[in-house]
Amino acid sequence: MALAEFVDAHHHLWALKAVHYPWLMATGQRRFFGDPTPIQRDYRVDDFLGEPGPFTPAASVHIQVGAQDPLAETAWLNNQLPFPHALVAFCDLAADDVDAQLAAQLSCAQARLRGVRQIVGRHEGEDELHGTDRLLSNPRWLSGLRLLESHALSFDLQLTPGQMVDALRVFERVPELPVALCHAGSPWDQSQEGLRRWRRGLEHFAELPNSVCKLSGLGMFKPDWILEDLKPVVMTVIDVFSPTRVMFGSNFPVDKLYRPYADYWSAYYKLTQGFSERERQAMFVGTARRFYRLSE
């Protein structure tokens, strides 16, 4: 089984001697996504393209992954070929020097920079430690979002379901800024009531016309998943956002902790078999190409 074409809209690469990732190289620390020990090694383009199985992306989008020096990460990535095709970098949008940070990223990434990710919510158990849960109420952060808007860039939004309504209020104030909701809005609570609360949050956020939702990182929320575990999440996102506002990503190599690359794409493929070819083309290719301005 193979997809004729798909875009991996959310993955990471790293070279541990070229760039330092404090979260990744910390020893003996279990994170919200699990134990990082198995992925504490280089993960380069050859590793990404060499994942076993019949699924090889036509294009990909690299999402910043917590480098100590975000500009060093971008500089290293900009020398990697032929993947990724687009970069989503880090800038501290609430910082005094955000203008300089963004200008440096634009210069370094050259034509491949498409947007910025600054994590708003990871997991309720960790967010208070990082202070990211306070960004939504920070007026300077809103000014940083407006700076992205003025540069015709996008924003990758990672948050938790309880933050959806507050996030909607913020992003309504930057109506021209395209926003990609990462990891399906982080449905950590997989109980029936938890999924109902998560869906309500999605429905609020989907009111934002410039928003799309990315089905990625699903192994984080159910590490021992089988196909039926992913079905309610995948179908809810498609129902709320519609196929023209949905895209798929692997979140590799983080999600490699749970299952092989081919398992995720096989699951996405099977779960969308009831949709038309046009709808599947939108979800697997069209939305990502449009949102991240990827050439054919």
Side-chain angles (χ1 to χ4, degrees), residues 47-85:
D47 300 301
F48 175 60
L49 296 180
E51 292 292 349
F55 299 99
T56 301
S60 77
V61 181
H62 184 278
I63 310 299
Q64 66 86 9
V65 66
Q68 185 175 57
D69 182 347
L71 202 60
E73 179 184 44
T74 300
W76 178 75
L77 286 164
N78 204 42
N79 289 318
Q80 307 310 302
L81 294 171
F83 286 71
H85 298 75

Side-chain angles (χ1 to χ4, degrees), residues 139-162:
R140 292 169 60 182
W141 193 69
L142 175 59
S143 297
L145 293 173
R146 287 175 170 151
L147 180 64
L148 293 184
E149 186 182 45
S150 72
H151 282 276
L153 294 170
S154 63
F155 186 78
D156 265 57
L157 175 63
Q158 183 173 334
L159 44 52
T160 55

Side-chain angles (χ1 to χ4, degrees), residues 111-141:
R112 285 202 280 177
L113 187 68
R114 295 294 185 271
V116 163
R117 179 175 77 155
Q118 184 173 12
I119 293 176
V120 172
R122 295 172 176 83
H123 184 280
E124 292 178 359
E126 286 198 13
D127 290 340
E128 289 186 8
L129 298 175
H130 298 279
T132 56
D133 56 340
R134 295 187 288 275
L135 287 172
L136 292 172
S137 60
N138 187 336
R140 292 169 60 182
W141 193 69

Side-chain angles (χ1 to χ4, degrees), residues 1 36 38 80 86 97 117 148 156 168 185-186 194 217 251 255-256:
M1 181 197 315
Q80 307 310 302
D97 66 343
R117 179 175 77 155
L148 293 184
D156 265 57
L168 174 62
S186 303
N251 195 40
D255 265 54
K256 189 172 184 173

Side-chain angles (χ1 to χ4, degrees), residues 180-195:
L181 192 60
C182 297
H183 305 328
S186 303
W188 285 107
D189 185 348
Q190 299 267 304
S191 69
Q192 288 189 355
E193 179 55 33
L195 290 175

Side-chain angles (χ1 to χ4, degrees), residues 169-185:
R169 293 182 183 131
V170 171
F171 285 94
E172 283 178 330
R173 300 175 70 180
V174 277
E176 301 303 315
L177 178 66
V179 183
L181 192 60
C182 297
H183 305 328

